[in-house]
Amino acid sequence: MRAVTGLLQRVIHTIDRYRMFTAGQKVGVAVSGGADSVCLLHVLLELAPERCLRLAVLHLNHRLRGGESDQDAEFVRRLSEQLGLPFHLREADLAGCAEGRGKPGCFRETRETPRRSQYLHPDNLEQAARHARLAFFREMTESRTVDSVAVGHTRSDQAETVLFRFLRGSGTAGLAGVRPVTSDGVVRPLLAVGRDEVEQFLRDRGIAWREDSSNASPQFARNRIRHDLLPQLASQWNPGIREILANTADWAQAEEAYWAAEIDRLAAERLLERDGAILVRVDWLADLPLASRRRLVRRAIE
């Protein structure tokens, strides 16, 4: 029970540190059926009375694994029913969208949630899945069905994200990884908890979860990082590599928070909006340090 107590304490600390919830808030818990999201649901259910949270379960059926995807959706539906929580389901034809057959209806509503929505295809399945999830979450918050959406990203996910972005080529903003709280209402209460702790939590309490067979496929870059590269780095270079990567994200987030405030100040002073264009004097830019110049130009582009 010591590990379980430690997990709950770290989740509470993360929630408080980033002010994720307020009393009476309606929180949609994104549950795929996997260990991380099922753990998140049970943790928030345990904390809900004390925090005065009203929970609902959100599930997006990607339809990428045929019957297995439908079984995941049914597992989450039954879990919601057992826990007495509202259940909101969406379905997405991601295979068709990613292959270029995207059209209105790739992302569609089901009987449980009558609000209409559309989803157009991005370039690949991983991006398709991400965009479909975000579109679903945004619809739930914009319709005021929920006030925020809690997702089950762990400290292990954070480490993998930082390494993936570093290998792809990224600056400090990318190395900040996934944020604890985003501007569109997504929160991540499990960011201080490792994947192994999540599974131990569930085993200790006899809670079942679903295994996504695609998580073992080397087709996806993240799986190759998780199953091949990170274990190799841990065994041959540094056993603490995952914690180092996650700490890098913590450091980069603090740096980005400082720079966001600083560039807000500089933009107010030095960026001029005129006739639908953003103007900046070259001599004003030349007076700034290179790091500030780069970020101010990026802000002008945005």
Side-chain angles (χ1 to χ4, degrees):
M1 291 299 293
R2 185 179 303 172
V4 171
T5 302
L7 182 148
L8 289 172
Q9 287 176 341
R10 270 176 288 133
V11 171
I12 292 169
H13 175 74
T14 299
I15 290 172
D16 291 342
R17 177 183 178 186
Y18 297 104
R19 301 177 181 177
M20 290 183 174
F21 306 123
T22 57
Q25 192 168 354
K26 295 180 292 184
V27 180
V29 188
V31 182
S32 66
D36 298 343
S37 61
V38 171
C39 173
L40 174 65
L41 178 61
H42 282 273
V43 166
L44 291 182
L45 192 64
E46 188 161 331
L47 300 179
E50 174 188 342
R51 300 290 170 132
C52 299
L53 302 178
R54 292 177 287 167
L55 304 182
V57 175
L58 313 182
H59 180 79
L60 178 66
N61 184 350
H62 296 110
R63 306 301 297 269
L64 287 174
R65 293 174 286 114
E68 188 178 337
S69 294
D70 294 335
Q71 290 166 17
D72 289 345
E74 178 61 18
F75 172 85
V76 178
R77 187 196 65 76
R78 289 200 311 269
L79 177 61
S80 306
E81 188 176 85
Q82 291 165 7
L83 298 176
L85 297 174
F87 175 59
H88 301 277
L89 173 68
R90 287 292 188 280
E91 295 182 348
D93 178 19
L94 293 193
C97 290
E99 290 170 6
R101 302 197 302 272
K103 56 184 182 300
C106 278
F107 177 35
R108 63 181 184 272
E109 73 281 352
T110 62
R111 289 178 303 172
E112 288 82 353
T113 45
R115 183 176 169 87
R116 182 174 297 176
S117 56
Q118 296 178 345
Y119 176 61
L120 300 179
H121 71 89
D123 294 332
N124 59 63
L125 290 179
E126 288 181 284
Q127 281 295 92
R130 178 177 178 274
H131 284 286
R133 286 192 298 271
L134 292 178
F136 180 24
F137 300 161
R138 186 166 54 249
E139 181 184 312
M140 290 290 99
T141 54
E142 289 179 352
S143 67
R144 305 301 296 170
T145 304
V146 299
D147 299 311
S148 64
V149 176
V151 298
H153 291 120
T154 65
R155 201 154 178 81
S156 303
D157 294 308
Q158 185 73 291
E160 294 160 10
T161 298
V162 171
L163 182 55
F164 175 77
R165 292 183 179 177
F166 175 77
L167 294 172
R168 188 180 58 185
S170 181
T172 311
L175 296 181
V178 294
R179 308 302 175 101
V181 178
T182 72
S183 60
D184 51 3
V186 174
V187 299
R188 297 179 167 96
L190 297 184
L191 269 188
V193 178
R195 189 174 294 118
D196 55 340
E197 298 172 277
V198 162
E199 294 186 3
Q200 190 61 51
F201 175 93
L202 296 175
R203 282 193 291 267
D204 288 345
R205 299 192 173 200
I207 299 171
W209 71 88
R210 297 272 300 170
E211 291 288 354
D212 184 341
S213 60
S214 68
N215 286 338
S217 171
Q219 174 186 359
F220 300 105
R222 185 174 290 273
N223 288 345
R224 297 194 298 274
I225 288 174
R226 176 181 301 175
H227 299 302
D228 300 329
L229 184 54
L230 270 172
Q232 183 179 6
L233 291 172
S235 65
Q236 298 183 15
W237 291 91
N238 189 331
I241 185 64
R242 292 175 177 83
E243 190 62 20
I244 289 171
L245 291 167
N247 287 339
T248 297
D250 295 340
W251 164 80
Q253 286 172 16
E255 296 287 311
E256 287 302 300
Y258 164 79
W259 276 111
E262 176 66 5
I263 298 305
D264 283 345
R265 181 184 69 82
L266 289 174
E269 292 178 357
R270 308 200 182 203
L271 296 183
L272 307 175
E273 184 174 356
R274 184 180 302 161
D275 298 328
I278 301 296
L279 308 179
V280 59
R281 288 173 55 106
V282 175
D283 56 342
W284 289 355
L285 274 180
D287 290 341
L288 295 174
L290 178 59
S292 298
R293 272 181 268 162
R294 286 171 171 165
R295 289 172 180 266
L296 191 60
V297 169
R298 186 181 303 132
R299 174 66 62 84
I301 294 171
E302 292 170 351

